[in-house]
Structures are given as C-alpha cells and as structure tokens.
Amino acid sequence: MQLNLKALMLVPGFILALTACQSDEQSQQAPMAMPPQQVDALELISQQVEIVEELPARAVAFKVAEVRPQVTGIVQQRNFAEGSYVEAGQTLYQIDDAVYQANYQSAKAELSRTLANLTTARAELKRYQALIADKAVSQQTLDQAQANYQALEAQVAMNKATLHKASVDLAYTKVLAPISGKISKSNITEGALVSAGQTASLATITQLDPIYFDMVQASSELGKLQQQINSGELNANAAKAVLQLNGQQHIGEILFNEVQVNPTTDTVTIRSEFANPDKSLLPGMFANIKLIQATRANSILVPQKAIMIGRKGQASAYVVTADNKVAVKAVSIGRSFADNWLVTSGLTAGDQVILTGLQKIAPNAQVNPSITTQQAE
C-alpha cells in the first residue's frame, strides 16, 4: 500500500515534465516571424531641370578684315607696330600722294574755272531774256545762250564729280584700319609698290572681343528639342552657353542655329557668343561648350539604380506605401541627368522610392524604410 502511494505521488511530476518537454519541442518546430526588411528610400521632389548638351566647339573671330590699298603708289610709311591693337580709322600706311594731290588741285581749279564761266553765262542769259521782249535780239540768240548756260551747268556737275574722285583718291593714300582689333605682321615694307585691287593683303586685323564659338548638333535632337519648346513642355528663355577653359568659366549666349542641315553629317551648326575682354580666347581654339538650351519645370528625377527595366523594356519602381509596404509603379522615363532618369509619368512629388534591397523585397512586403528627402539638382 505504501508503494502505490509513492507511485501516485510521482505521477503529477511526471506529467508536468512530459508537458514541458512537449512545449519545448513545439516551440522549436514553429516558424519564427521574419522582421521587416531594412531599406533606404528617397522622397521625391518636383524641381526645375536644365536641358544640357555638351558639344565640342571651335572659336571664330567676331570680325576679320584684310587691309588692301585702294590706290596705286609707293608705300612711304608704316604707322603701326606689328601684333598691336589698332583702332578703326587709324592710319596704317601712307602711300605717296604727290600725284593724287596734283590731281585734286587740278580738279579743284577746273571746277573754279567752270563756275566762273557759268556766272558769265547766267548773266548773259538774263540780259537776252530782257532784250527778247523788245525784240532787240533774235530768238536764236536767246536759245543759244540758254543752251550754253545749261551746258556749263552740266560741266560744273562733272567737275564736282571729278573733284570728289580726286579727293577720295587722295584720302585713300592714307590706308586706314577698317575695324578695331589686333593687327597681324605687315606683308609689305616701306618703298614697296602697291596697286588698287591687288589680291595680296597688306595686313589682317582680327577683332577678338566678343568671340564666337561654333559647334554642331544632330538635326534630329535639335528638331525634337524645338518641338518640346513649341508644345510648352520646355522653356527656352534661359538658354545660355557655358565655356570652361584654363580654369576659367565663361558665360555666353546662343545666337542662332544655321538654317540648313549638313547633308553629309545630318547636323546643324550652332553659334554662341562670349565676351573676351582679356583676349584670352583666340580664333581656332577648340573647347567643350555646355549648351543649356532650355529648362523643364515640375520635373521628377529618380536615381537610375531605383528604376527596374523589364525584359520587354517596361520601366518600374518600388515605392513605400503609407503603411510601410512595398508597391510597384510602372513609369515612363525620358532623358538622363547625370545618374538620374527624368520620369515623365508614373511618379509624383512625395513618392518614396526604394533605393536599396530591391532583390530582397516584393510587392506587399513589409519594410522598415530609412527615408531621406531628395535635394534639387
């Protein structure tokens, strides 16, 4: 009887131990709930972006003038230092003017003689006009006086023209600078014979401030840009050109696009203009020009690593919902801006785009996002 009593006392402890072992086994077999995936997300903002094209360009002088003589003669003097800056109207060469001075004086004297004869003819004509009323002279005499007066008037006009030409030729013996700028070396020396209309120039003047830079852009790109401007998607009011050369930045303006397309390269020439007060930019230089051709307001830029491209080319992005779950959004992308895509549809300001852990998440998955706000470009 005592043995049975002891056995009965041991049963509850045995049952408790067995229950505890079963509970441990069940807890080990039950799956553990996975914590939400940690991801980095970017909260998008709406911003204005610049439509930029970087193109190689070549510098072209603003003005170039080849100095040539307008009259024939011996060069007596050169009045400039080679390679110096000359002003428009400055005398560069002096051609022997002895012959032209004589021609001018002769033309001037001839005009004076004709004017004197005209004065006499005018007085004679008036006298005959007074006498014809009394029939003191014949009509033929009056007509002859009238014709003589008119012939002298015509002669005066011719003499004035001759005098003007002689004056111009005399002035041309001083070869003047047609524009302001830097002058090249002289191609002739004192004592050389030059002639009007010669093909060889005496020197060349180049105006460097301002200076042009010419570049070419594909006609298709330019046409697409123009369509977007015409539709109002882009604004070209802030268009400008930026030149970075020798550690200095130059801001210029876009002047025009050539009206014809090069049939060989299918490109269009674009000309920009830059101020060049220190003359550091020289014709023939090559440089890369950053063309800011337009701006686009209310734009959404998304890092390229956040955009997924499917096998059929469709683009999409993962975003964080209000309850910290993953949603997938189909998007349309445009041009790239550095390491961002321009998203034209599918995303709006305030969307939180997931940047990291894309391989470890799926739609409707719970995530623990670390969110930063996007900064404007």
Side-chain angles (χ1 to χ4, degrees):
M1 187 69 181
Q2 291 179 352
L3 179 61
N4 292 338
L5 182 60
K6 290 181 178 180
L8 290 174
M9 293 176 63
L10 293 172
V11 169
F14 175 77
I15 293 173
L16 289 173
L18 181 61
T19 303
C21 290
Q22 289 177 347
S23 298
D24 291 342
E25 291 178 358
Q26 289 176 355
S27 64
Q28 291 176 0
Q29 293 175 359
M32 297 180 64
M34 296 293 292
Q37 176 67 38
Q38 181 74 35
V39 295
D40 293 327
L42 181 68
E43 184 175 345
L44 302 178
I45 63 172
S46 177
Q47 56 185 300
Q48 177 174 288
V49 295
E50 296 176 334
I51 308 302
V52 178
E53 191 77 28
E54 191 163 336
L55 300 171
R58 182 176 64 87
V60 179
F62 184 73
K63 290 180 182 179
V64 178
E66 292 185 339
V67 180
R68 287 187 173 86
Q70 302 297 309
V71 293
T72 301
I74 301 295
V75 176
Q76 290 183 321
Q77 191 174 5
R78 172 167 62 85
N79 299 314
F80 66 90
E82 296 174 313
S84 65
Y85 183 85
V86 297
E87 294 284 353
Q90 177 180 332
T91 301
L92 303 178
Y93 298 93
Q94 176 63 57
I95 297 175
D96 184 9
D97 64 353
V99 173
Y100 299 100
Q101 189 70 249
N103 291 341
Y104 174 76
Q105 295 299 334
S106 175
K108 189 176 181 180
E110 184 64 23
L111 175 60
S112 297
R113 185 182 68 82
T114 306
L115 286 173
N117 291 338
L118 181 64
T119 300
T120 302
R122 183 185 297 113
E124 186 178 63
L125 177 61
K126 287 182 178 180
R127 186 169 61 255
Y128 287 161
Q129 287 172 339
L131 294 175
I132 194 68
D134 299 332
K135 297 185 178 182
V137 294
S138 65
Q139 184 64 41
Q140 182 179 1
T141 302
L142 178 62
D143 292 343
Q144 184 65 39
Q146 179 74 32
N148 184 48
Y149 174 73
Q150 292 175 340
L152 287 172
E153 279 188 323
Q155 186 64 42
V156 167
M158 291 178 61
N159 290 153
K160 286 182 177 181
T162 302
L163 178 62
H164 177 69
K165 183 178 183 308
S167 175
V168 170
D169 287 344
L170 180 60
Y172 278 155
T173 60
K174 295 182 183 296
V175 181
L176 307 180
I179 63 172
S180 299
K182 270 198 169 186
I183 193 166
S184 68
K185 68 179 182 64
S186 177
N187 297 323
I188 55 98
T189 62
E190 289 89 344
L193 174 65
V194 295
S195 59
Q198 69 179 43
T199 57
S201 63
L202 307 183
T204 302
I205 302 174
T206 305
Q207 183 173 334
L208 300 177
D209 184 24
I211 194 168
Y212 296 135
F213 272 86
D214 290 349
M215 64 216 81
V216 295
Q217 185 176 17
S219 61
S220 58
E221 288 293 326
L222 200 57
K224 182 179 178 181
L225 180 71
Q226 191 61 53
Q227 288 178 355
Q228 292 174 316
I229 293 173
N230 294 339
S231 68
E233 179 183 353
L234 301 180
N235 185 347
N237 292 336
K240 60 182 177 180
V242 180
L243 166 64
Q244 193 79 29
L245 190 65
N246 299 329
Q248 292 185 329
Q249 186 181 77
H250 304 264
I251 305 297
E253 61 176 317
I254 302 173
L255 293 184
F256 65 88
N257 305 330
E258 188 58 81
V259 296
Q260 293 185 345
V261 176
N262 187 320
T264 304
T265 60
D266 194 29
T267 56
V268 177
T269 299
I270 302 174
R271 170 161 285 185
S272 58
E273 180 183 303
F274 294 85
N276 189 28
D278 59 355
K279 315 298 188 296
S280 61
L281 303 176
L282 300 177
M285 276 185 171
F286 282 90
N288 285 331
I289 301 291
K290 184 186 293 183
L291 285 183
I292 302 174
Q293 295 175 292
T295 56
R296 189 181 192 276
N298 303 320
S299 300
I300 300 296
L301 296 183
V302 180
Q304 293 179 354
K305 63 182 179 180
I307 300 296
M308 299 172 291
I309 307 296
R311 287 180 295 179
K312 295 183 178 180
Q314 69 275 23
S316 60
Y318 281 148
V319 297
V320 179
T321 63
D323 54 356
N324 286 346
K325 288 188 176 181
V326 177
V328 62
K329 286 192 175 184
V331 299
S332 297
I333 58 176
R335 66 171 64 215
S336 64
F337 291 82
D339 56 353
N340 297 318
W341 286 117
L342 171 65
V343 174
T344 56
S345 65
L347 294 173
T348 60
D351 284 342
Q352 297 172 351
V353 177
I354 298 175
L355 303 179
T356 61
L358 301 178
Q359 295 80 12
K360 300 178 182 180
I361 58 177
N364 296 320
Q366 195 75 31
V367 291
N368 181 21
S370 175
I371 300 172
T372 58
T373 302
Q374 187 179 33
Q375 301 297 316
E377 291 293 319

